[in-house]
Amino acid sequence: MPKGKGPQGKRITLKVAKNSVRVAFNGRRRLDLSKMGIATFPKCILELADVEELDLSRNMLRKIPNIIEKFQNLMWLDLHSNQLDELPAEIGTLKNLTYLNLCNNKLTTKGLPDELNLLKNLRTLNLGLNCLETIPTTLGTLRELIELGLFDNSLTLIPKSVKKLPKLERMNVKRNPLPEFAKEEEPIDTVKRIESLYLVEKKDLCSSCLETCQGERDELHKLEDMTPGPSNKPSFPSLTTPNSTAMDNQEEWRIK
């Protein structure tokens, strides 16, 4: 085996990279190098730094170099299911990013640079399945954020600045030791209780009261005939484990 730490991985040539450029459904050019056994960021792809989307997911990457700043056109960056434990500060220079997937890595709180708060156009950020114990309060400056994945970490607190993000619609915090989820929620009693019950015969009611009682009885029968509607539980289509590889590794990350 060649000298050096960790797996050597597959070597990507410029020709391979050029053949991996695809046009996505939205018309953007995507460089798709996912699931190719890459252990080291291929410097040859700097020749293709004008792509709008870059997929390096499901590889063996341990580090993203600072040359990532050369990809100034990036709007979409997928790094899920690698072995990253930190990000370079230069990630904050990618001002056009709207989507950043870092799920299923080894990221620690210290590995998240402060420069993440410079990604002002970010709408989706997935940090699920990592080793995070806290979330930087500075993420509360990402005011365009709509989706935030924080599931399967070691979080005990979600900063108020993050909870109050103005456009945040979906935040997945499942399987974290958060105090507010320590106790199971008591079941909601959907049946309206009454303090007293009086039984009278129809002949003892005036016409007005009788009409009111019959109307309420009819409403009750309508409710009894109704079938339960679809569940209103929130879903996280963009913030769950993104693929089969991540699913396979999920238990391993939780144990760690």
Side-chain angles (χ1 to χ4, degrees):
M1 179 181 291
K3 293 183 179 180
K5 297 181 180 179
Q8 297 301 307
K10 180 179 178 180
R11 182 173 178 269
I12 299 298
T13 64
L14 181 58
K15 181 179 180 181
V16 170
K18 285 182 176 179
N19 290 335
S20 300
V21 176
R22 302 285 185 271
V23 178
F25 70 93
N26 52 18
R28 301 174 190 163
R29 290 186 308 142
R30 176 182 298 181
L31 176 52
D32 187 352
L33 297 176
S34 63
K35 206 172 183 179
M36 297 190 68
I38 303 171
T40 304
F41 189 91
K43 293 183 179 179
C44 68
I45 67 174
L46 289 177
E47 298 289 332
L48 304 170
D50 58 344
V51 295
E52 292 86 15
E53 301 188 356
L54 176 59
D55 189 349
L56 287 167
S57 65
R58 294 172 288 180
N59 283 297
M60 300 180 291
L61 292 171
R62 295 178 178 273
K63 183 179 180 180
I64 298 298
N66 55 14
I67 56 175
I68 192 69
E69 66 182 353
K70 301 295 184 182
F71 291 79
Q72 285 298 304
N73 290 338
L74 277 187
M75 301 177 69
W76 190 94
L77 178 58
D78 196 342
L79 298 170
H80 82 255
S81 302
N82 279 285
Q83 300 180 37
L84 304 173
D85 57 9
E86 65 177 356
L87 296 174
E90 287 75 12
I91 197 104
T93 66
L94 306 180
K95 302 295 179 63
N96 291 315
L97 270 188
T98 61
Y99 176 94
L100 178 57
N101 191 351
L102 298 164
C103 176
N104 198 28
N105 278 284
K106 298 180 179 180
L107 290 170
T108 62
T109 302
K110 291 183 179 180
L112 295 180
D114 293 336
E115 287 75 8
L116 273 179
N117 69 350
L118 299 176
L119 302 177
K120 302 299 185 182
N121 291 309
L122 205 59
R123 296 178 183 176
T124 298
L125 175 60
N126 195 346
L127 292 167
L129 273 169
N130 277 289
C131 307
L132 303 174
E133 295 182 350
T134 59
I135 292 296
T137 57
T138 52
L139 289 186
T141 63
L142 302 179
R143 301 182 67 81
E144 296 298 316
L145 208 59
I146 297 174
E147 298 180 313
L148 178 59
L150 299 173
F151 57 93
D152 290 287
N153 279 289
S154 300
L155 302 175
T156 57
L157 177 69
I158 305 297
K160 289 183 179 180
S161 61
V162 174
K163 288 181 179 179
K164 294 182 178 181
L165 282 167
K167 296 186 179 180
L168 192 63
E169 296 178 1
R170 292 174 289 277
M171 181 168 65
N172 189 349
V173 295
K174 290 182 178 180
R175 294 177 295 277
N176 279 286
L178 293 164
E180 57 259 49
F181 298 104
K183 295 181 180 180
E184 292 186 4
E185 295 183 2
E186 295 183 3
I188 299 175
D189 188 354
T190 57
V191 180
K192 185 177 181 180
R193 305 299 176 181
I194 56 176
E195 297 297 329
S196 303
L197 178 65
Y198 299 94
L199 299 178
V200 295
E201 295 186 10
K202 290 169 60 176
K203 64 182 180 64
D204 295 325
L205 294 173
C206 65
S207 59
S208 177
C209 293
L210 179 60
E211 184 178 346
T212 301
C213 290
Q214 289 175 334
E216 292 183 355
R217 182 188 61 187
D218 292 342
E219 288 297 323
L220 180 61
H221 288 165
K222 288 180 181 179
L223 291 174
E224 290 175 348
D225 294 337
M226 289 176 63
T227 57
S231 173
N232 290 325
K233 291 183 178 180
S235 62
F236 307 95
S238 302
L239 301 175
T240 53
T241 305
N243 54 64
S244 57
T245 302
M247 287 291 289
D248 292 341
N249 295 339
Q250 188 169 352
E251 291 300 327
E252 177 185 352
W253 291 123
R254 284 193 206 162
I255 294 174
K256 290 181 179 178

